[in-house]
Amino acid sequence: MDTDMNTLDRELDDLIEAVAPPLIDLEQLERLVTEDDLHLFDGECFIHDSCRPVR
């Protein structure tokens, strides 16, 4: 019975992945975080709309 449950779990995971893939690939997330960490930050961000000062 334990083998049947493992098979069902794998099949369920495959089905969920096919229907609702993850929003972001973990490898892509790691690359983005590393790239962000390497970027020198001087305290002000003008890239994101939410970071820009309100005038």
Side-chain angles (χ1 to χ4, degrees):
M1 179 153 174
D2 191 33
T3 306
D4 291 339
M5 289 303 292
N6 287 338
T7 302
L8 287 175
D9 283 341
R10 278 195 308 269
E11 289 178 0
L12 179 60
D13 288 343
D14 291 344
L15 181 62
I16 290 172
E17 242 180 75
V19 174
L23 295 176
I24 189 167
D25 180 27
L26 291 180
E27 289 178 12
Q28 181 184 10
L29 177 61
E30 185 177 352
R31 283 193 307 272
L32 291 171
V33 169
T34 301
E35 183 180 321
D36 191 49
D37 287 345
L38 294 175
H39 181 71
L40 295 176
F41 185 65
D42 64 359
E44 292 190 40
C45 174
F46 296 101
I47 297 171
H48 308 99
D49 290 336
S50 60
C51 297
R52 293 182 185 155
V54 177
R55 296 175 196 241

